[in-house]
Structure formats: structure tokens, C-alpha cells
């Protein structure tokens, strides 16, 4: 989507990890972009730096830094970064816009859930607005006010409207054959 001497912004496809994990070292966005900036030369000193991540099944805007200084600047201002997602959810929402707030924590099986215990969970806030509706689904513009693991997925499932294709959080159907969540706006001050 954008490239200059400080950053590279890409549209990540669903199914692609941002960076390798201990258990999964498949092809990743990080590996592909490292190869790209090195122009195929393994000995090149060109590097990219992780600024943030998207879940494997989430598509959309992902920014990488090309210098350590750009990474530091972007990450130090990450709380001010505007992060909008598009989500297709099951059903129609009675309240057409609102903010969901809860405390999120993770169990031993790495499943994220809301908890009333504020000493265990971290506060998470998600704003949403209905963009379009059918009888079966609603398209939402979702604004992350905090950035917790699986935050959008847990919050929307928690109000009875799981994201289409998200069986792990209660979706009944998978009309797109993927998680219907797309990061479509990433607004930040350029590091330079």
C-alpha cells in the first residue's frame, strides 16, 4: 500500500502469520518482506522491524518499520494510532453504535475471554457502528480504543453477534470461508 525509506505498509491476506511463532514457522509477512527488501540477497544488511501484528485469519493494513528509529517512534505512539476494522457479524444489532468495555484475560488453553475480575484482566474498549445490514448479517466499522489479543472477536461475540467465520467465538456460519474481519484504516503520524 505504501513504501518509503522509513516504513512499508501492506495489505496482509488472511491465513498469513505476521511473524513466526514457536509452534508455527511457516511463510510469514515478516519473512516475505525481509526477502523483498533484501532483493533476494541473503547477505544484504537491509532489515524490517515488527511494529504490530494482526491475527493469522485477519486481513488488512499492516505496517513494518525499515529502521529501528522508525519502529521506536511508531510503537511509542501506538496508543494514539487510529485502528479501524470492518467486521461482518451474525444478526442485526439493536443498538446501531456503541462502545463495549470489559476486562480480558486468557486461560491455559490460550482462549481469551471477558472477566468481571479487574485484578486478573486488562481493560479493553471497542467502539462499533453499523454500516449496513441484511436479515442475517451486519457490516460494522469497528474502532479499537485499546489493543488486546482477540479483543474485537471476544467483544462482538459477547454482545451476541460473533464475527462470521469465527467458530471459536460462536459463529454459526462461514459464508466467506474465512474470518470476516479486515483492518481497513491505520492512521498514524509518519515517523519522519
Amino acid at each position: 500500500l505504501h513504501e518509503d525509506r522509513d516504513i512499508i505498509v501492506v495489505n496482509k491476506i488472511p491465513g498469513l502469520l505476521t511473524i513466526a511463532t514457536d509452534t508455527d514457522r511457516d511463510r510469514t509477512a515478516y519473512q516475505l518482506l525481509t526477502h523483498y527488501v533484501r532483493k533476494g540477497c541473503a547477505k544484504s544488511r537491509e532489515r524490517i522491524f515488527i511494529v504490530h501484528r494482526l491475527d493469522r485469519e485477519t486481513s488488512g493494513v499492516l505496517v513494518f518499520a525499515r529502521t529501528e528509529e522508525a519502529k521506536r517512534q511508531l510503537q511509542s505512539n501506538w496508543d494514539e494510532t487510529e485502528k479501524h476494522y470492518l467486521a461482518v457479524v451474525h444478526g442485526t444489532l439493536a443498538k446501531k453504535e456503541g462502545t463495549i468495555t470489559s476486562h480480558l484475560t486468557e486461560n491455559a488453553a490460550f482462549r481469551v475471554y471477558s472477566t468481571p475480575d479487574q485484578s486478573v484482566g486488562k481493560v479493553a474498549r471497542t467502539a462499533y457502528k453499523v454500516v449496513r445490514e441484511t436479515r442475517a448479517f451486519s457490516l460494522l466499522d469497528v474502532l479499537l480504543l485499546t489493543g488486546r489479543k482477540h479483543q474485537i472477536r471476544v467483544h462482538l461475540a459477547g454482545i451476541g453477534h460473533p464475527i462470521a467465520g469465527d467458530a471459536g467465538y460462536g459463529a454459526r456460519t462461514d459464508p466467506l470461508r474465512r474470518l470476516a474481519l479486515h483492518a481497513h484504516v491505520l492512521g498514524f503520524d509518519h515517523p519522519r
Side-chain angles (χ1 to χ4, degrees), residues 74 77-83 143-144 185-189:
L74 289 167
N77 296 317
W78 198 248
D79 288 345
E80 289 82 47
T81 299
E82 184 179 346
K83 304 165 211 83
L143 173 62
L144 270 185
V185 172
L186 197 58
F188 55 87
D189 289 332

Side-chain angles (χ1 to χ4, degrees), residues 24-161:
D24 199 344
R25 301 213 166 270
D26 286 348
R27 205 171 71 123
T28 66
Y30 176 79
Q31 290 170 336
L32 292 168
L33 286 171
T34 296
H35 181 75
Y36 168 76
V37 299
R38 290 182 176 172
K39 298 182 178 22
C41 178
K43 293 181 181 181
S44 171
R45 290 189 174 164
E46 287 292 323
R47 294 184 61 196
I48 61 166
F49 300 86
I50 302 288
V51 174
H52 68 114
R53 297 176 183 163
L54 291 176
D55 290 345
R56 178 196 298 259
E57 296 309 319
T58 301
S59 61
V61 183
L62 186 60
V63 63
F64 291 87
R66 295 195 65 166
T67 67
E68 286 189 70
E69 178 57 28
K71 174 189 172 172
R72 271 194 297 280
Q73 284 189 13
L74 289 167
Q75 287 182 334
S76 68
N77 296 317
W78 198 248
D79 288 345
E80 289 82 47
T81 299
E82 184 179 346
K83 304 165 211 83
H84 282 268
Y85 290 73
L86 292 174
V88 176
V89 299
H90 286 276
T92 57
L93 285 74
K95 198 172 167 191
K96 302 307 178 195
E97 63 181 277
T99 301
I100 305 163
T101 303
S102 73
H103 286 78
L104 299 181
T105 191
E106 194 170 357
N107 65 20
F110 305 109
R111 182 169 171 82
V112 178
Y113 62 96
S114 289
T115 179
D117 187 349
Q118 295 180 15
S119 66
V120 175
K122 293 181 179 178
V123 71
R125 296 181 62 234
T126 306
Y128 69 88
K129 183 176 185 178
V130 174
V131 175
R132 182 176 257 165
E133 297 175 313
T134 67
R135 277 189 243 145
F137 299 100
S138 295
L139 174 65
L140 307 181
D141 180 6
V142 179
L143 173 62
L144 270 185
L145 300 172
T146 58
R148 309 279 180 238
K149 179 179 177 182
H150 293 187
Q151 175 179 325
I152 297 171
R153 298 165 69 181
V154 172
H155 276 172
L156 294 176
I159 63 168
H161 298 283

